[in-house]
Amino acid sequence: MKVARFHAPGDIRIEDAPEPVAGPGELKIRVRNCSTCGTDAKIFKYGHHHIVPPRVMGHEIAGEVVDTGARVQVIAAIPCGTCPDCVAGRRTVCPNQESMGYHYDGGFAEYLIVPAKVLAVDGVNAIPDGVGFAEASVAEPLACVLNGQELARVGPGDDVVVMGAGPIGCLHVRLARARGANRVFLVDVNAERLAMAAELVRPDAAIDADPAEQVLKLTSGRGADVVITAAASGAAQEQAVRMAARQGRISFFGGLPKDNPIIALDSNLVHYRELTIVGANGSSPAHNAQALRLVAEGAVTVSDLITHRLPLPRVLDGIDLVSRGAAIKVTIEPWRRS
């Protein structure tokens, strides 16, 4: 079979590999779609401390079980299910977490093996009728967005700012509306990407400069109830604190580069405005199942966010599109021949 393997930073190769065989408790999946994300682009450029090459990449996975033909979506982040955090229901912060495409071969391949530990934590979800494989693969990033908005308590009547107009930012806009937000503003320094995203998700305002000032103006000086930094930007995190309303909630959704994780935080703004700042790290198996339901019910539309569908040999083209911000969502179809 064909796979896309990471060998070193800047070195992903399309290679032939033996078709895998499932062991006891495992599932063999024919991968129909594996979508790309900004993390794939970062791995390609820098590598990742959890990846020991060579490794088949790809973690936004949907396909069919070889033995039965069942249509399934597979989680990316695998909690252990037995540690104190998992037992307490905090599976997104499991200290023993592993991941598809990192610790185990991922979905940039014609077939993959789902480890038994994924099934042990209910990490394989049936794709509902009416949901395509490509849309189902987007359930994984939507699950992460769902976790972030639950932690930030996005709800009816909120004015929400989403900083970052990539696929995650677009999903945040859509989910905030589904959760009853009053207005949703979308921010990005890349004016072209912002325009492309705004055309699809139709925020109440699209802002490409002076975001704190613009949000305060749009809210008559009050600020936003929720600010979500869906970008790997320390500047965005600093601006988020300045544009939050009293008792506002700020989600540091996008992580910062490992070599530059420190920001300047005006602690008095947090203190006197009674702000809440929360992190958001991945998703649980339950979030994945709920994300699939949201897509199936039409509460969150994802099909139009998939702007590019590419065969496996063009995975590097897909990663390049993501890196340049020239696409919203790129999905790889391993069985597509052109």
Side-chain angles (χ1 to χ4, degrees):
M1 67 171 183
K2 294 292 184 183
V3 302
R5 274 205 188 102
F6 173 85
H7 286 266
D11 184 7
I12 293 176
R13 306 174 199 171
I14 306 300
E15 298 179 330
D16 291 314
E19 187 175 316
V21 177
E26 298 178 335
L27 282 182
K28 182 176 177 179
I29 303 293
R30 182 188 186 198
V31 182
R32 296 293 299 272
N33 281 87
C34 186
S35 294
T36 64
C37 75
T39 302
D40 295 321
K42 285 190 286 186
I43 291 170
F44 173 61
K45 188 171 183 180
Y46 302 110
H48 194 281
H49 63 286
H50 284 312
I51 295 179
V52 178
R55 174 65 70 207
V56 178
M57 290 175 56
H59 58 272
E60 299 182 7
I61 301 161
E64 53 202 358
V65 179
V66 169
D67 289 341
T68 67
R71 302 166 68 247
V72 296
Q73 178 260 353
V74 181
I75 62 171
I78 312 164
C80 72
T82 59
C83 70
D85 284 305
C86 284
V87 171
R90 299 188 293 265
R91 289 187 166 189
T92 58
V93 291
C94 169
N96 306 313
Q97 177 181 291
E98 295 179 314
S99 298
M100 299 298 295
Y102 294 70
H103 302 85
Y104 304 97
D105 282 342
F108 293 156
E110 292 177 342
Y111 295 98
L112 69 76
I113 299 300
V114 179
K117 61 177 57 181
V118 173
L119 281 76
V121 294
D122 297 321
V124 177
N125 297 298
I127 299 174
D129 292 341
V131 177
F133 289 108
E135 291 75 25
S137 72
V138 183
E140 192 280 328
L142 178 57
C144 299
V145 168
L146 178 60
N147 176 47
Q149 293 206 13
E150 286 180 350
L151 289 166
R153 307 191 310 279
V154 175
D158 284 336
D159 280 342
V160 178
V161 175
V162 178
M163 304 186 75
I168 291 292
C170 289
L171 289 171
H172 269 297
V173 173
R174 290 259 168 95
L175 182 61
R177 293 211 187 281
R179 293 174 67 90
N182 175 38
R183 293 182 295 177
V184 185
F185 308 130
L186 185 60
V187 177
D188 202 294
V189 296
N190 183 328
E192 290 184 5
R193 181 167 68 173
L194 178 63
M196 179 169 54
E199 180 69 21
L200 289 170
V201 300
R202 299 292 183 180
D204 292 279
I207 302 167
D208 63 5
D210 302 319
E213 292 78 3
Q214 292 300 316
V215 168
L216 290 171
K217 182 177 179 181
L218 288 162
T219 58
S220 301
R222 178 177 175 273
D225 299 288
V226 182
V227 185
I228 300 165
T229 60
S233 167
Q237 293 182 352
E238 292 172 0
Q239 292 162 353
V241 176
R242 297 202 299 271
M243 69 177 75
R246 286 167 174 79
Q247 291 196 345
R249 289 91 69 198
I250 299 161
S251 172
F252 284 177
F253 188 91
L256 300 186
K258 297 292 189 295
D259 60 351
N260 190 24
I262 308 302
I263 65 169
L265 174 67
D266 187 335
S267 179
N268 277 339
L269 287 179
V270 178
H271 173 69
Y272 288 110
R273 294 185 186 178
E274 297 186 354
L275 303 180
T276 299
I277 300 174
V278 296
N281 176 43
S283 62
S284 69
H287 286 125
N288 279 255
Q290 187 176 349
L292 272 176
R293 289 194 295 270
L294 289 169
V295 173
E297 293 164 0
V300 179
T301 301
V302 300
S303 57
D304 60 339
L305 302 181
I306 302 169
T307 54
H308 295 74
R309 298 170 183 253
L310 302 176
L312 184 61
R314 293 189 60 194
V315 68
L316 287 175
D317 292 336
I319 290 173
D320 178 63
L321 287 165
V322 171
S323 299
R324 293 189 288 109
I328 299 297
K329 198 67 181 168
V330 179
T331 193
I332 302 301
E333 300 180 331
W335 292 89
R336 183 172 179 169
R337 293 303 177 234
S338 62

